[in-house]
Amino acid sequence: MSPDLLLPTPPIVRPDKDRFLQEENPFEAMMSRFDRAAVLLDLEPGIYKVLRNPEKQIITSIPVMLDSGDVEVYTGIRVLYNTSRGPAKGGIRFDLNVTLDEVTALAAWMTWKCAVVDIPFGGSKGGVVCDPLQMSVGELERLTRRYTSSIIQTLGPDSDVPAPDVNTNERVMAWIMDTYSMHVGHTVTAVVTGKPVEMGGSRGRREATGRGCMIVTKRALEHLGMPIKGASVIVQGFGNVGSVAAQLLEREGCKIIGISDRTTGIVNPKGIDVESAIAYVAQNRTLAGFTKGDAVSNSEMLTCETDVLLPAALENVITTKNAKHIKAKVICEGANGPTTAAADAILDEKGVFVVPDILANAGGATVSYFEWVQDRQGYFWAEDNVNKSLTTIMERSFDAVLDLSTQHKVNMRTAAYMLAISRVATVHRLRGVYA
Ligand code: GLU
């Protein structure tokens, strides 16, 4: 295992404390978009009802022996939303704000995401209500193994395949793979994706979500006739998705004028050197103390003058409170669910071109698919092949969504839902209802 896997999990952007007073909960946000697309598709009532409901929701209590010798009990959730197109696919997050509604919305988003990029997976998501920053490595390992064992009946390369998400990483995936393999009595690499490369992980997986964001941002700028060289970009969230997207967009000639994490926001109209910000975070864990620009709050940063805004942290950061003040011409949703449904209408009215989450951040799931294929074949690809295949899929999916949006005169989000739902519905029609 490479030494960086032994470092503590990097901190994430923490939600504001009014996160619980939001205009919509994530499941409602997902459902209102689903409903709009279902109406436009004239979806038959039976399939509509099936697709509005998760297939399976598991809530489990996870006792963990703490280093102190005390026992703490955590709540773990795994939701399989839909498996009609293939095994359920979706990450596991460790966070204090995890709820059943949130995990269900995220599992539905995984279903639509895998369908938008046309990979043969359904959608799932998992979460454990905990604060991993307050836990030791030993406590996290025991929590991960006990959670895995509680949901073991749903896991498997043909049934449900986890991956990293907020506050989980390659090391956590290695523990899940080992626990599952011990239960079944032999090594099963394809049971999780986002593993260390040394044990069946795919080259390019760690960077895949950020790389996918870069690919679709370029495509969006090209479509709008805006030059990529010199385009200004603000990235909110500087974890695995935001930092890689910023780095790759900078390499394409964009000017990164704002970055932030939960501690710090920095804006510099002359451009921020992303490599040095990444090096700073690698040393200091956060951007706190990185002084290569003017300090701004997370919320101020979202409404600064920029060509591209890339929210890459958590849900519900673009709401009715700030949408009318957003000046970006393009929003590329690196996070899942960063825009509320009510804010969509405001952005539409302002003519902001939004590349929706289920398309923009599908690069991670896509390279997870490549990892699963490589594990099952026992044959591993060069990084260049991974990146080329990812580019092909992201560009093809962007173009398919754009075509549908032009054809039906709807925004990119509605078009992406229409494409996804029609693909999932087609399989339901072909498979029929088992009685
Ligand atoms: N957690 C990532 C997402 O939300 C990746 C999921 C996966 O690779 O299964 O897209």
Side-chain angles (χ1 to χ4, degrees):
M1 197 179 283
S2 46
D4 60 342
L5 296 180
L6 301 173
L7 290 172
T9 311
I12 55 157
V13 175
R14 286 267 161 225
D16 300 330
K17 49 181 185 318
D18 68 351
R19 187 159 177 245
F20 293 106
L21 307 173
Q22 292 142 8
E23 51 207 37
E24 289 176 48
N25 82 22
F27 189 72
E28 291 307 317
M30 187 283 296
M31 255 317 141
S32 70
R33 275 77 171 247
F34 171 85
D35 278 349
R36 175 171 316 165
V39 168
L40 289 164
L41 288 168
D42 206 8
L43 203 62
E44 54 270 50
I47 291 180
Y48 174 76
K49 277 187 246 170
V50 171
L51 297 187
R52 276 185 68 95
N53 289 286
E55 275 177 26
K56 195 179 283 180
Q57 293 174 310
I58 301 169
I59 302 181
T60 173
S61 295
I62 311 165
V64 175
M65 180 74 77
L66 302 179
D67 294 345
S68 63
D70 294 338
V71 172
E72 187 57 83
V73 179
Y74 297 90
T75 302
I77 299 170
R78 185 78 182 163
V79 175
L80 275 63
Y81 196 83
N82 188 287
T83 58
S84 56
R85 301 180 81 250
K89 189 80 195 78
I92 291 172
R93 58 175 58 180
F94 289 171
D95 192 56
L96 278 178
N97 292 311
V98 164
T99 63
L100 181 62
D101 256 5
E102 183 200 37
V103 177
T104 306
L106 290 160
W109 276 322
M110 283 306 302
T111 308
W112 315 137
K113 189 183 300 185
C114 293
V116 166
V117 288
D118 209 5
I119 55 178
F121 286 138
S124 57
K125 202 79 176 194
V128 178
V129 186
C130 67
D131 185 353
L133 301 181
Q134 303 301 323
M135 296 172 74
S136 71
V137 172
E139 288 167 344
L140 280 173
E141 177 171 353
R142 293 192 287 280
L143 174 78
T144 304
R145 289 184 183 277
R146 183 62 189 252
Y147 170 66
T148 305
S149 132
S150 319
I151 58 167
I152 206 121
Q153 62 282 16
T154 81
L155 296 183
D158 291 315
S159 49
D160 184 21
V161 185
D165 199 76
V166 172
N167 280 335
T168 58
N169 59 12
E170 297 177 8
R171 183 179 50 187
V172 173
M173 296 307 115
W175 292 328
I176 296 175
M177 187 279 234
D178 182 67
T179 308
Y180 181 85
S181 299
M182 289 297 127
H183 270 259
V184 298
H186 58 99
T187 294
V188 185
T189 52
V191 69
V192 286
T193 59
K195 301 178 291 294
V197 169
E198 295 87 337
M199 51 179 280
S202 176
R203 290 181 177 80
R205 172 62 186 84
R206 200 186 296 173
E207 298 79 18
T209 312
R211 180 174 292 278
C213 290
M214 176 274 284
I215 296 165
V216 294
T217 300
K218 273 179 67 185
R219 209 72 171 170
L221 291 171
E222 271 160 23
H223 163 67
L224 297 170
M226 293 165 67
I228 293 153
K229 298 254 171 304
S232 52
V233 179
I234 290 180
V235 180
Q236 185 242 359
F238 208 65
N240 184 42
V241 180
S243 64
V244 173
Q247 185 180 40
L248 296 179
L249 282 166
E250 186 181 53
R251 286 188 197 157
E252 295 295 319
C254 294
K255 192 161 64 159
I256 312 302
I257 60 164
I259 54 174
S260 72
D261 68 5
R262 76 187 162 100
T263 64
T264 312
I266 296 144
V267 169
N268 185 345
K270 292 201 199 85
I272 295 164
D273 177 20
V274 177
E275 303 293 340
S276 72
I278 290 175
Y280 185 88
V281 172
Q283 277 232 311
N284 302 285
R285 300 192 64 206
T286 71
L287 284 168
F290 184 75
T291 50
K292 303 284 169 63
D294 297 331
V296 288
S297 71
N298 244 292
S299 52
E300 279 168 331
M301 228 190 54
L302 294 170
T303 56
C304 285
E305 196 76 54
T306 183
D307 292 321
V308 179
L309 175 63
L310 207 154
L314 286 169
E315 297 97 277
N316 295 329
V317 292
I318 302 176
T319 67
T320 48
K321 281 194 214 133
N322 58 10
K324 50 185 169 303
H325 306 299
I326 284 190
K327 299 181 191 72
K329 296 170 192 75
V330 175
I331 294 179
C332 175
E333 296 185 334
N336 291 309
T339 310
T340 66
D344 274 350
I346 301 171
L347 297 177
D348 269 352
E349 210 161 285
K350 289 167 66 82
V352 183
F353 187 87
V354 179
V355 187
D357 48 4
I358 57 172
L359 169 63
N361 70 36
T366 303
V367 177
S368 278
Y369 166 55
F370 299 159
E371 180 170 329
W372 180 81
V373 168
Q374 292 171 73
D375 286 339
R376 290 171 76 108
Q377 288 188 331
Y379 179 76
F380 291 88
W381 309 356
E383 186 161 352
D384 204 36
N385 286 358
V386 171
N387 292 344
K388 274 196 192 123
S389 305
L390 173 64
T391 305
T392 306
I393 290 189
M394 293 304 293
E395 290 185 348
R396 189 176 63 202
S397 308
F398 180 95
D399 293 351
V401 172
L402 183 62
D403 279 354
L404 213 57
S405 112
T406 317
Q407 201 183 316
H408 290 269
K409 299 190 176 47
V410 292
N411 64 21
M412 289 287 280
R413 191 186 311 282
T414 303
Y417 273 78
M418 287 173 75
L419 183 61
I421 293 167
S422 64
R423 283 181 174 155
V424 178
T426 299
V427 176
H428 274 277
R429 273 179 218 115
L430 290 168
R431 289 180 64 157
V433 179
Y434 176 70

